[in-house]
Amino acid sequence: MFQRYNEPIEISSFPRAIIHIDGDAFFASCEQSKDPSLRGKVVVTGKERGIVGSVSYEGKALGISRSMPLFEVRKRFPQAIILQSDYETYSLLSHRFFSIVRRYTPVVEEYGIDECFADLTGMRGPLHKSYTQILDTIQKELALELGCTFSIGMSVNKVLAKVGSKWKKPSGTTLIPGRDIKTFLRDLPVQKIWGIGFATTAHLEKLGVRTSLELAEKPREWVERHFSKPMVALWRELNGEYVMELNREENSAPKSIQKFKTFTPPSSDFDFVFSQISKNIENACIKARRYGLASPRMQLVLREQNFRMYGIDITFSRKTAYPNEIVVLAKEALLKIWRPKVSYRQTGVTLILLEDAALEQPDLFGESLRTEKMERIFEKVDALQERYGKHTVYLASSEKAHRFFVHGGARGDSALRRGAELIGATKRQHLGIPIFLGEIQ
């Protein structure tokens, strides 16, 4: 099915040239990029969680899949190299990934840590390359500068571009011109289409629709009768229309911020578990302040060792992004759902209903003065953390979480990057690979 096209066919077949770039086993590839001795080997991340987070293609070929318990991986595949996830490195490589793509077009939508959409329409002239040449160049530069491979799909819209990026992995390039849409959709199960989940798949099967082409060939009236507006947009894109525009906002502000942490061994120590929650809150607030946001509500979650989950909503007297104001309420809420002698393995907090922190109404009782004082304090805290690293300053309530490794025993390995900083570099900034953050002018 994979085919390349020469320039005359490209021009007539792609009134819009939308691409989707998808990382190949991204987290495992990042580990192989950091440590070239891991290349060609079975690499698994997720040691801190006890389940597979990412697996290299060498492992996928053996049958290792995401969310597989690590005890099963160790038993069946003793050659597997199991590593703790290093999300800071993955985030830095992700930023470089987007920067490389922006050398070729300013219209880039950062869809996930390891994937993005980009619009190449009209870029053949400025770049003096055909579409296939542009894709080849992007793919080669990503592999050379990041040490990771990416698969690329190109078509007339986002939905079909995502079909293309999944078509040939790893390191594949698939073009789906308008005239070949039906060929690609003919035997493609509907659940393989971006935006169609388990529930929608089950509903479609009840309606006698199993392949993507069967869905695309349904009349619009049929789709509107059985589904909501988003499904109509997806149906239109399956038929070659350009409906879903790219979101060009780089690192657009989130509507909610979620921070979860799993720790091993599990603990029934109230002070330790609360300390983890306190650190979750600090992390969530750091991100909220970075975007200039504040929240009036938070959801707190506890997960037991048997994976049973408990949660409670907390409403603040006013919106905030200052952790010391939230932890007091969080402790009161934790006491309401705490079960003594029960072992907990995970804590989590979610700041919801985020909005601009500056849109605070003045009051008559000194609240605004307290807010201004808090703002000045955390401006200093954020400046220190920007210079010396995250959590240079933290709340006393987070002390236990900072003083001990998140994971004890075999799961408590530290990322190799942490012991090899360059002079003047922080643990967060150092990577042992080339750096280039150029963008298209």
Side-chain angles (χ1 to χ4, degrees), residues 225-237:
R225 183 168 66 253
H226 292 286
F227 297 95
S228 59
K229 189 174 180 179
M231 189 65 165
V232 176
L234 186 151
W235 171 86
R236 291 174 63 187
E237 294 227 338

Side-chain angles (χ1 to χ4, degrees), residues 239-408:
N239 281 282
E241 294 185 55
Y242 177 74
V243 181
M244 304 179 187
E245 296 186 359
L246 275 67
N247 178 7
R248 296 181 57 177
E249 293 184 25
E250 184 176 357
N251 296 322
S252 55
K255 300 298 182 184
S256 64
I257 295 175
Q258 186 179 79
K259 294 295 179 180
F260 277 66
K261 206 67 174 180
T262 303
F263 41 88
T264 51
S267 177
S268 58
D269 181 338
F270 180 90
D271 291 338
F272 175 78
V273 174
F274 174 64
S275 184
Q276 295 291 346
I277 291 173
S278 178
K279 188 177 178 183
N280 292 153
I281 292 170
E282 288 194 272
N283 285 329
C285 288
I286 287 171
K287 185 171 183 178
R289 295 196 302 275
R290 188 184 309 145
Y291 285 103
L293 300 173
S295 170
R297 287 178 58 191
M298 185 184 80
Q299 296 170 339
L300 187 154
V301 169
L302 280 181
R303 191 187 294 271
E304 296 179 0
Q305 174 63 4
N306 61 8
F307 290 90
R308 183 178 297 169
M309 184 181 291
Y310 297 90
I312 187 170
D313 283 0
I314 305 170
T315 301
F316 313 142
S317 60
R318 62 178 182 84
K319 63 182 182 181
T320 183
Y322 304 127
N324 54 317
E325 296 181 333
I326 299 175
V327 291
V328 176
L329 299 174
K331 191 166 189 176
E332 294 175 0
L334 178 61
L335 287 168
K336 294 178 181 178
I337 60 174
W338 180 261
R339 300 174 65 199
K341 299 182 180 180
V342 171
S343 294
Y344 297 93
R345 70 186 309 270
Q346 185 185 62
T347 61
V349 302
T350 305
L351 296 178
I352 60 176
L353 304 177
L354 290 165
E355 56 181 292
D356 190 337
L359 299 178
E360 184 71 54
Q361 295 295 324
D363 60 64
L364 301 177
F365 303 101
E367 193 68 36
S368 295
L369 292 175
R370 286 193 292 272
T371 300
E372 290 176 9
K373 181 180 179 180
M374 200 65 62
E375 184 177 343
R376 289 195 298 272
I377 291 172
F378 277 93
E379 280 179 356
K380 300 293 185 182
V381 169
D382 293 338
L384 286 170
Q385 296 189 139
E386 179 68 24
R387 183 171 182 179
Y388 297 107
K390 191 176 181 182
H391 297 305
T392 299
V393 179
Y394 55 83
L395 298 180
S397 55
S398 303
E399 173 68 15
K400 283 197 171 184
H402 286 284
R403 190 149 43 94
F404 298 102
F405 284 114
V406 174
H407 300 281

Side-chain angles (χ1 to χ4, degrees), residues 15-36:
R16 279 192 178 272
I18 307 300
I19 65 172
H20 180 256
I21 308 177
D22 190 34
D24 300 323
F26 185 65
F27 291 175
S29 293
C30 289
E31 297 295 343
Q32 291 174 322
S33 176
K34 289 192 301 178
D35 183 358

Side-chain angles (χ1 to χ4, degrees), residues 417-431:
R417 168 176 55 82
R418 297 187 179 278
E421 287 80 39
L422 300 174
I423 295 175
T426 68
K427 291 180 174 62
R428 191 173 179 83
Q429 294 169 332
H430 172 66
L431 284 178

Side-chain angles (χ1 to χ4, degrees), residues 200-210:
T200 304
T201 297
H203 185 38
L204 284 166
E205 288 180 350
K206 290 178 182 177
L207 297 172
V209 175
R210 288 177 171 77

